[in-house]
């Protein structure tokens, strides 16, 4: 347990330094801003979304919806996050952008899990896994495992939560997606404490 806590502390130090970039995946700068200024991001988004729709720019719509989903998550507005995730997924499908589609599915699933709609959340995670089979992304696979870990923890299945957290850590390189690594280590520590 001490080694896990040490790893968590070291990853947190590295993850905090990299916190300005939520991931190595394509994302709008507003998604990062949502971490510290979610209400401001939610105010900025409607005209930007309207402009992207006017241009018929589905990729921009998906990225802006993911920024909205992140802002909604930060303020714990789960129905808002669910809707934004669904909007991101639909726009990404229209843009033929599978990684954005997977991100939308994950955002929507996380919101459903937070709302305790576990079966629908799990179904969307399964759909995200199918998308990632044809368009692999270690970071998004780790995110899916993180969501499964959180779901298992919510259901009191702590051994399964730890197993999913370990799977997520296994798909990432040591220098990859440090904020994601911190979240996986946090879930692993929580599960092992419960065990």
């Amino acid at each position: 347990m001490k080694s896990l806590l040490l790893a968590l502390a070291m990853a947190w130090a590295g993850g905090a330094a990299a916190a300005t970039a939520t991931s190595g995946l394509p994302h709008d700068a507003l998604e990062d801003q949502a971490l510290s200024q979610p209400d401001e991001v939610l105010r900025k988004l409607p005209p930007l979304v309207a402009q992207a729709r006017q241009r018929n720019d589905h990729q921009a719509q998906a990225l802006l919806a993911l920024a909205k989903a992140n802002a909604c998550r930060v303020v714990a507005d789960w129905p808002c996050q669910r809707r934004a995730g669904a909007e991101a997924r639909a726009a990404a499908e229209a843009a033929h952008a599978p990684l954005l589609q997977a991100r939308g599915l994950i955002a929507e699933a996380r919101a459903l899990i937070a709302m305790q709609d576990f079966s629908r959340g799990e179904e969307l995670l399964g759909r995200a896994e199918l998308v990632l089979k044809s368009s692999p992304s270690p970071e998004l696979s780790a995110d899916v495992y993180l969501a499964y870990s959180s779901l298992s923890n919510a259901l009191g299945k702590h051994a399964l939560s730890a197993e999913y957290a370990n799977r997520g850590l296994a798909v990432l390189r040591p220098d990859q997606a440090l904020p994601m690594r911190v979240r996986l280590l946090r879930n692993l520590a929580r599960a092992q404490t419960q065990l």
Side-chain angles (χ1 to χ4, degrees):
M1 186 66 172
K2 282 184 181 177
S3 62
L4 176 61
L5 292 174
L6 179 61
L8 183 58
M10 290 173 63
W12 176 255
T20 54
T22 57
S23 76
L25 298 166
H27 67 283
D28 191 281
L30 288 174
E31 190 173 344
D32 295 334
Q33 186 182 350
L35 296 172
S36 57
Q37 299 170 314
D39 293 325
E40 185 175 336
V41 168
L42 290 170
R43 278 193 301 273
K44 285 181 179 178
L45 282 168
L48 297 173
V49 171
Q51 290 168 14
R53 284 188 181 141
Q54 202 169 39
R55 294 189 314 267
N56 208 28
D57 187 341
H58 297 293
Q59 173 124 353
Q61 289 175 56
L63 291 169
L64 292 170
L66 288 167
K68 181 178 181 181
N70 207 29
C72 296
R73 178 186 63 80
V74 171
V75 298
D77 185 342
W78 311 128
C80 171
Q81 181 183 343
R82 183 189 57 76
R83 287 189 303 273
E87 289 166 13
R89 173 175 46 87
E93 286 173 6
H96 306 289
L99 295 183
L100 293 178
Q101 181 184 351
R103 290 191 68 208
L105 285 163
I106 294 165
E108 189 178 358
R110 285 184 176 286
L112 288 166
I113 291 166
M115 296 164 68
Q116 298 188 342
D117 190 344
F118 301 125
S119 60
R120 283 181 54 209
E122 187 173 15
E123 176 192 335
L124 291 180
L125 290 175
R127 287 174 58 188
E129 283 185 296
L130 286 175
V131 170
L132 292 172
K133 278 188 179 178
S134 58
S135 300
S137 164
E139 187 172 342
L140 288 180
S141 292
D143 202 4
V144 168
Y145 286 131
L146 176 65
Y148 276 130
S149 175
S150 298
L151 171 62
S152 300
N153 185 59
L155 295 172
K157 298 180 178 180
H158 304 298
L160 194 55
S161 177
E163 181 184 329
Y164 278 124
N166 277 319
R167 283 191 202 176
L169 291 166
V171 298
L172 294 173
R173 295 186 319 266
D175 62 338
Q176 186 179 25
L178 292 177
M180 177 72 65
R181 182 173 292 282
V182 168
R183 294 167 71 193
L184 287 160
L185 286 167
R186 181 198 63 206
N187 270 29
L188 180 58
R190 180 184 298 143
Q192 290 186 341
T193 300
Q194 291 296 323
L195 289 169

